[in-house]
Amino acid sequence: FVSGEDLYAGGLDENKPVVWKNGKLLQTLTDGSVYANVLSLCVSGGDVYAGGREENQECLGIPTIWKNGTPLHKLGGVEGDVALVFVK
């Protein structure tokens, strides 16, 4: 995701979902104790939103949105991914 002169990317680092800004680690989204991934990023007003999934205790992938590295919303009872994050 590009915002101004900044390039943001999401992925995995040592099995932890992370966000990089201009090639440097910006946020680690979980402690790595369960599988999680990042599929989408959006930057709005200085806030970084990441969408993906985080497994629960039953190993179900729960669609999750993080804001600035903290879970903002999880769709309970549904297995899947957040494939696109858009902030208006």
Side-chain angles (χ1 to χ4, degrees):
F1 185 89
V2 177
S3 178
E5 297 292 319
D6 296 317
L7 174 64
Y8 295 83
L12 292 175
D13 185 20
E14 298 181 11
N15 291 323
K16 297 177 188 173
V18 297
V19 175
W20 293 278
K21 178 181 177 183
N22 299 324
K24 296 181 181 178
L25 183 64
L26 178 66
Q27 300 167 347
T28 301
L29 303 178
T30 72
D31 64 6
S33 61
V34 296
Y35 177 78
N37 65 9
V38 177
L39 297 174
S40 178
L41 292 174
C42 182
V43 178
S44 177
D47 293 317
V48 179
Y49 297 84
R53 75 184 311 169
E54 182 176 14
E55 287 188 354
N56 64 13
Q57 292 79 12
E58 292 82 34
C59 295
L60 297 175
I62 304 302
T64 304
I65 297 173
W66 293 269
K67 178 181 178 185
N68 300 324
T70 302
L72 176 67
H73 186 70
K74 293 185 180 191
L75 292 175
V78 177
E79 186 171 20
D81 297 297
V82 174
L84 179 64
V85 176
F86 178 80
V87 178
K88 183 175 179 183

